[in-house]
Amino acid sequence: MCTVVIRVPDSADEPTRVLAIRDEDPERPWNALGPWWPESEGVVGVRDARAGGAWLAADPETRRLSVLLNRADVATRPESELISRGGIVLESVLDRSPEGEPPTHGFNLVEVRAGGSRVLTWDGDVLRTTDLAPGTHMIAHDDVDDPATPRIARWLDDFRAAPAGGGERWWDAWLGVLRRSAELEPTDDRAIIRDNRPLGYPTLSLLACVASVSPDGLEVAYGELAEPGHWDELDLA
């Protein structure tokens, strides 16, 4: 039940800003942001050490970034026919977006390009595309800006009001929203920094990435929470 905040600019000359918070089972090993895929030269990302795919991946040369959020599905395929969703992220950042009926469980795939951003949604039945209009959006485990998702209903307006402009640490205002959100218990449905175990999932918020994508380039930074599911000041680098 990850969360992504994305600010799409009015002009193609301005940067798209992204904040992505990863929820995962802390017992599932991962590799921090880095160039883990020698067959995909230049691509960096957060690697799932078990399956080899990515949660988030970026190619600074082509200015493409993709990040995956799990969502429920109505898939009827046997598990033996399904593949890890992490491979979709790597394919996407190499400009090979999913088509047709992906052989995976459900997902929201956020794709950021210098020329625009979109979310591809697979629910096991239909693959849909939502182009993101200029403005600030939130994505979790349902639809874009879904008011039925309590954390989106509670915090979207706060992210919209927080500047994410220029400067080396443009993301500080968004981290301020995260800091305020963490006054809620991590089991609260409105929480962004989460403990999803009471909902039947072994996942907790583990880490975050911020990224800026513009015609001039792509920059991404990474930081881990000292204690899964509990806020501390992220040291993003």
Side-chain angles (χ1 to χ4, degrees):
M1 291 190 180
C2 306
T3 306
V4 169
V5 180
I6 178 170
R7 180 162 294 169
V8 179
D10 293 312
S11 167
D13 296 328
E14 299 173 0
T16 299
R17 309 292 202 188
V18 178
L19 166 66
I21 299 101
R22 188 185 189 202
D23 296 353
E24 183 53 270
D25 183 349
E27 297 300 316
R28 187 178 181 109
W30 74 90
N31 300 117
L33 183 72
W36 303 109
W37 303 276
E39 70 280 9
S40 302
E41 186 177 356
V43 172
V44 298
V46 179
R47 179 177 179 269
D48 174 16
R50 182 181 297 176
W55 164 67
L56 175 149
D59 186 339
E61 183 176 348
T62 60
R63 301 182 301 283
R64 299 190 191 109
L65 180 140
S66 300
V67 58
L68 187 85
L69 305 91
N70 295 348
R71 67 177 288 155
D73 61 53
V74 294
T76 57
R77 295 184 188 182
E79 290 290 329
S80 60
E81 296 181 6
L82 299 177
I83 62 173
S84 170
R85 287 168 281 210
I88 287 175
V89 181
L90 293 173
E91 289 292 297
S92 168
V93 85
L94 295 171
D95 204 25
R96 298 191 288 264
S97 300
E99 299 177 340
E101 299 181 354
T104 70
H105 281 300
F107 60 77
N108 287 325
L109 178 68
V110 182
E111 294 188 328
V112 182
R113 309 293 186 255
S117 302
R118 65 181 186 171
V119 178
L120 279 68
T121 295
W122 170 240
D123 64 2
D125 181 38
V126 176
L127 182 66
R128 296 183 285 116
T129 300
T130 302
D131 293 320
L132 297 178
T136 301
H137 305 277
M138 283 183 75
I139 305 101
H141 54 278
D142 286 312
D143 290 341
V144 177
D145 299 337
D146 195 332
T149 302
R151 82 191 82 156
I152 292 177
R154 172 59 188 88
W155 297 108
L156 177 55
D157 285 346
D158 290 63
F159 280 111
R160 284 175 170 164
E168 221 174 277
R169 293 184 56 89
W170 58 263
W171 57 79
D172 277 342
W174 279 2
L175 291 190
V177 177
L178 276 186
R179 187 181 304 113
R180 297 196 303 275
S181 78
E183 296 172 5
L184 297 168
E185 290 297 321
T187 53
D188 192 308
D189 285 343
R190 298 167 296 169
I192 300 172
I193 303 300
R194 304 193 53 78
D195 179 351
N196 296 306
R197 292 174 295 182
L199 300 176
Y201 304 97
T203 58
L204 300 94
S205 298
L206 300 178
L207 58 92
C209 286
V210 294
S212 181
V213 183
S214 74
D216 296 327
L218 185 155
E219 297 179 349
V220 59
Y222 167 96
E224 296 180 12
L225 295 171
E227 181 181 354
H230 294 274
W231 171 255
D232 57 21
E233 293 301 323
L234 283 165
D235 183 16
L236 294 164

